[in-house]
Amino acid sequence: METGTILPDDLSTLAKRVIVANVAAGRKVALAESCTGGLVAAALTEVAGSSAVLDRGFVTYSNEAKMESLGVAQDIIETFGAVSIACVWAMAKGALDRSNADVAVAISGVAGPGGGTDLKPVGTVVFARVTRDSEGEPEGELKHFDGKNRAEIRSQATICALELLLP
């Protein structure tokens, strides 16, 4: 049986690297996705054997879902917004706390074409990674992607999230 993929080659290749590296490290991962809408989980599950690595994924597109499914505090969303380091860190922590994973990555952003502001223009995407039993500051990053359209921004965000899952 031929193994094909529904995703672009760059995503499929990187997802395979993530699976192989995490199998070697003995790590399970969890995801909390907003603007990528499950694309990171989809990329991982394109790889045969991904069940050894992917514990679960949460697609929490609405603010209510972030609060209900991941335990993000309402005051975080009201104060900083859903597209903030504070929010994605809480999303990643919530995904880790509600899973059997060793590491969780969260993504939230403005994919466009509308919804951007002066402070958070279209292409603004924030990421966080939380590792179980880690000490110190959480890892978070804000990026500005210059995609021509929504699909390009979401694709670039998916690649960044996959890279964060590499041990």
Side-chain angles (χ1 to χ4, degrees), residues 137-158:
E137 293 294 309
E139 297 176 65
E141 187 172 4
L142 182 145
K143 291 195 174 248
H144 294 282
F145 295 116
D146 292 325
K148 291 185 205 118
N149 56 47
R150 181 177 180 83
E152 281 188 17
I153 291 166
R154 293 176 75 220
S155 178
Q156 291 172 47
T158 300

Side-chain angles (χ1 to χ4, degrees), residues 74-130:
Q74 184 172 350
D75 65 333
I76 287 175
I77 292 173
E78 289 174 355
T79 304
F80 303 105
V83 181
S84 66
I85 296 290
C87 184
V88 289
W89 183 79
M91 289 168 64
K93 181 140 180 26
L96 196 64
D97 290 346
R98 290 158 177 78
S99 72
N100 298 311
D102 302 295
V103 63
V105 167
I107 310 104
S108 186
V110 185
T117 65
D118 287 342
L119 287 176
K120 297 175 188 174
V122 170
T124 302
V125 183
V126 287
F127 303 86
R129 175 174 52 200
V130 176

Side-chain angles (χ1 to χ4, degrees), residues 7 31-43 57-62 66 91 106-109 111 125 150 153-155 157-158 161:
L7 299 172
L31 300 162
E33 299 185 64
S34 186
C35 68
T36 49
L39 282 173
V40 182
F58 299 87
V59 177
T60 53
Y61 208 70
S62 70
K66 289 172 182 65
M91 289 168 64
I107 310 104
S108 186
V125 183
R150 181 177 180 83
I153 291 166
R154 293 176 75 220
S155 178
T158 300

